């Protein structure tokens, strides 16, 4: 029996190109270290977040921090499964740590998504669900269909799920109060997210 061929071998070359990118080097306080986790292109779930924090920058492992722990709880997914690139692909809106501002980390660098996202998604043909985590991912992928606020966008998850998107707030510890004030998120949205993931196997 012949061995199954690897789908989209050009994905490997694209990942290498992303990791070698220095487009924003002069604007990055810790220098370029693009973080992306794509594997062989068989993933059925794509996670699009914001940008690496300092811990992720240091390790090169996406969601390797407290935000990632909370995200995996929401997804009801063990760490090994989360990093299994045969099942799940990960890319941020900005691939490198952008630095800090007065209120926390700066927004993702605006150059990354236009340069890379369409090329990555074209090489992930099996994705059936894309998690849009935070306002930057939601702005790019939902456009005028998103709500006036993050809360409105997340509460309307059913509308977006029909298009293959699931909007979520950022799971950062900074958003603990936001989540505590909105018990409907844990009661309604998290179970729906888990069900949508389970349907993909």
């Amino acid at each position: 029996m012949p061995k199954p061929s690897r789908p989209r071998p050009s994905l490997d070359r694209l990942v290498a190109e992303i990791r070698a990118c220095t487009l924003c080097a002069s604007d990055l306080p810790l220098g370029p270290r693009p973080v992306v986790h794509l594997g062989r292109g068989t993933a059925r779930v794509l996670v699009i977040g914001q940008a690496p924090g300092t811990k992720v920058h240091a390790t090169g492992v996406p969601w390797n921090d407290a935000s990632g722990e909370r995200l995996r709880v929401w997804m009801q997914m063990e760490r090994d499964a989360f990093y299994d690139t045969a099942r799940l692909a990960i890319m941020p809106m900005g691939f490198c740590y952008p630095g800090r501002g007065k209120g926390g980390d700066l927004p993702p660098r605006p150059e990354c998504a236009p340069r890379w996202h369409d090329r990555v998604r074209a090489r992930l043909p099996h994705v059936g669900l894309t998690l849009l985590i935070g306002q930057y991912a939601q702005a790019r992928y939902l456009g005028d269909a998103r709500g006036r606020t993050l809360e409105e966008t997340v509460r309307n998850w059913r509308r977006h799920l029909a298009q293959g998107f699931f909007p979520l707030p950022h799971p950062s510890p900074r958003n603990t109060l936001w989540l505590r004030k909105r018990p409907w998120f844990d009661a309604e949205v998290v179970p729906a997210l888990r069900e949508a993931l389970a349907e993909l196997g």
Side-chain angles (χ1 to χ4, degrees):
M1 177 179 294
K3 293 182 180 180
S5 59
R6 289 180 59 179
R8 307 287 176 127
S10 61
L11 181 59
D12 291 340
R13 293 193 294 270
L14 180 57
V15 169
E17 191 178 343
I18 291 170
R19 288 178 174 160
C21 181
T22 59
L23 178 65
C24 307
S26 61
D27 298 302
L28 300 172
L30 300 183
R33 188 179 190 182
V35 176
V36 63
H37 196 70
L38 300 176
R40 296 185 173 186
T42 59
R44 302 193 66 190
V45 178
L46 173 61
V47 176
I48 302 180
Q50 294 190 166
T54 53
K55 185 173 182 180
V56 170
H57 174 88
T59 63
V61 179
W63 297 102
N64 186 32
D65 53 18
S67 296
E69 292 298 328
R70 175 177 273 166
L71 177 60
R72 287 184 283 276
V73 169
W74 289 350
M75 298 172 72
Q76 205 169 43
M77 186 172 284
E78 296 295 330
R79 186 179 176 91
D80 287 348
F82 183 80
Y83 290 115
D84 179 0
T85 54
R87 301 171 58 185
L88 189 144
I90 303 170
M91 71 173 174
M93 289 299 295
F95 290 85
C96 295
Y97 172 64
R100 287 187 63 81
K102 292 182 179 179
D105 288 349
L106 292 171
R109 293 296 310 173
E111 298 89 347
C112 287
R115 185 178 180 92
W116 302 114
H117 275 217
D118 288 348
R119 295 171 65 187
V120 168
R121 293 178 74 224
R123 290 164 175 81
L124 296 173
H126 303 291
V127 167
L129 183 66
T130 299
L131 309 189
L132 302 176
I133 300 176
Q135 61 176 324
Y136 300 104
Q138 291 160 18
R140 177 173 177 82
Y141 286 97
L142 302 181
D144 293 340
R146 67 180 176 137
R148 293 169 294 176
T149 64
L150 175 69
E151 177 172 356
E152 186 176 323
T153 301
V154 174
R155 293 203 81 150
N156 286 328
W157 62 267
R158 292 178 183 84
R159 177 192 307 169
H160 307 302
L161 185 58
Q163 307 303 317
F165 296 118
F166 205 116
L168 295 168
H170 198 282
S172 167
R174 289 178 174 270
N175 284 338
T176 297
L177 182 59
W178 189 96
L179 293 164
R180 189 176 298 146
K181 289 182 175 180
R182 294 161 178 84
W184 53 265
F185 179 79
D186 279 329
E188 302 169 20
V189 180
V190 169
L193 171 64
R194 293 172 178 174
E195 182 178 347
L197 292 169
E199 288 178 358
L200 292 173

